[in-house]
Amino acid sequence: MEKSKTLSSIRRDIEGHIGEKVILKANGGRRKILVNNGVLESVYPSIFVIRLEADTQRTVTYSYSDVLTKTVQLVFKG
C-alpha cells in the first residue's frame, strides 16, 4: 500500500530532480493519455516547468496537485 503524500512532500521530491530528463504522462481528457519526453527545467511554489524535447521552444507547466491526483505522472530517467 502506497503511503499518502502531501503537496509539500511531492514538491520536495520534484525539487531534487531539477535538470534531469523525465517521461511525462498526462491525462489529455476523453481517455487520451499524452506521453512526452522532456527536462525538468524549474520549480516554483505552486507549479513546475518541463521543457519538451520534441520542440525546444515549448514548455508545459503543471501543479503539484496534478501529481497528487494522478492527472500527471512523472518518471525520472536519472
Side-chain angles (χ1 to χ4, degrees):
M1 186 170 162
E2 184 179 316
K3 96 176 172 181
S4 65
K5 289 192 167 193
T6 61
L7 291 176
S8 60
S9 68
I10 290 171
R11 180 175 166 212
R12 280 192 304 270
D13 289 345
I14 291 175
E15 280 179 339
H17 294 283
I18 292 177
E20 289 185 18
K21 291 188 177 187
V22 64
I23 298 173
L24 173 73
K25 296 179 184 178
N27 184 351
R30 298 214 176 207
R31 298 182 184 172
K32 191 184 338 175
I33 303 294
L34 305 171
V35 179
N36 290 309
N37 291 326
V39 176
L40 182 61
E41 192 169 81
S42 55
V43 174
Y44 297 101
S46 58
I47 62 170
F48 57 94
V49 179
I50 296 178
R51 179 169 302 280
L52 300 180
E53 287 183 351
D55 186 2
T56 58
Q57 299 298 318
R58 184 159 179 224
T59 60
V60 292
T61 60
Y62 293 101
S63 68
Y64 303 109
S65 61
D66 291 333
V67 177
L68 181 66
T69 60
K70 297 184 180 173
T71 303
V72 172
Q73 294 179 346
L74 300 173
V75 178
F76 296 104
K77 293 182 180 179

